[in-house]
Amino acid sequence: MVEGLSEFIDRFKIKTRVVNGTKYLIMYKAVRSDFGSIWLDMVSKRDKGAYRLGMTVVCRKWSSNRRNECGKGLHVATRNFADGFAIHGDKVIEVLVHPKDVICVPPNTNGKIRCRRLVVARVLRPRFYASAMHGMEAFDWSTCLMCVF
């Protein structure tokens, strides 16, 4: 198990789901209304439909560097974190991640981890949108160009 994952699971009370005898972490991700990535994405290259229901998404280029919170890989998070990155019209997807596919748990994470593979399990409506969060409009997005959300 990757460094910090047990603590992350305990701290954020991450739930699991067993599928065919294998235990997966239940995580979340904000996507556009066309199911494409909301960020620069090494997997989908912003293709429509990259994160459709039932799809397995694999990231071939990823970084396990824990000090880089926005490193390469598929970023997944807690439900509140994912909701906070959705803007009006976006969706939140529930994804299943095998613990062996988690590649990085940043030491100061506020709910986000990186993985190399995920399965889209459900499509959800965000409970709130980023535009309602204070300070989002002032965020310098150029600092996060390597993000793969």
Side-chain angles (χ1 to χ4, degrees):
M1 192 175 297
V2 71
E3 184 178 356
L5 184 56
S6 293
E7 295 84 359
F8 177 84
I9 291 169
D10 291 342
R11 178 178 172 201
F12 293 101
K13 298 175 177 44
I14 302 300
K15 294 181 181 177
T16 59
R17 181 175 300 150
V18 176
V19 179
N20 297 326
T22 302
K23 187 189 279 189
Y24 293 88
L25 305 175
I26 300 172
M27 301 298 296
Y28 301 88
K29 182 175 188 61
V31 295
R32 293 191 328 257
S33 60
D34 65 4
F35 295 96
S37 176
I38 60 173
W39 302 99
L40 173 65
D41 194 322
M42 305 305 284
V43 176
S44 68
K45 304 243 187 311
R46 291 197 178 268
D47 287 343
K48 293 178 182 177
Y51 295 98
R52 289 213 181 272
L53 185 62
M55 293 187 74
T56 297
V57 182
V58 178
C59 182
R60 301 198 193 294
K61 294 181 180 181
W62 45 269
S63 169
S64 59
N65 181 350
R66 293 185 77 213
R67 288 181 234 154
N68 185 353
E69 292 185 16
C70 279
K72 293 180 181 179
L74 299 169
H75 291 215
V76 295
T78 62
R79 177 69 194 268
N80 281 342
F81 191 100
D83 283 341
F85 276 88
I87 57 173
H88 190 68
D90 288 346
K91 301 185 182 317
V92 169
I93 54 174
E94 181 182 280
V95 299
L96 303 179
V97 178
H98 191 286
K100 288 183 179 178
D101 288 323
V102 175
I103 55 172
C104 180
V105 179
N108 296 320
T109 184
N110 55 355
K112 178 177 76 170
I113 59 176
R114 290 195 309 271
C115 64
R116 59 182 158 222
R117 177 189 312 258
L118 60 81
V119 177
V120 181
R122 289 195 311 160
V123 178
L124 308 167
R125 242 185 276 150
R127 296 175 295 186
F128 57 89
Y129 292 102
S131 59
M133 293 177 64
H134 298 291
M136 291 300 291
E137 59 280 346
F139 186 78
D140 180 5
W141 298 108
S142 66
T143 63
C144 202
L145 286 178
M146 292 309 295
C147 285
V148 181
F149 277 86

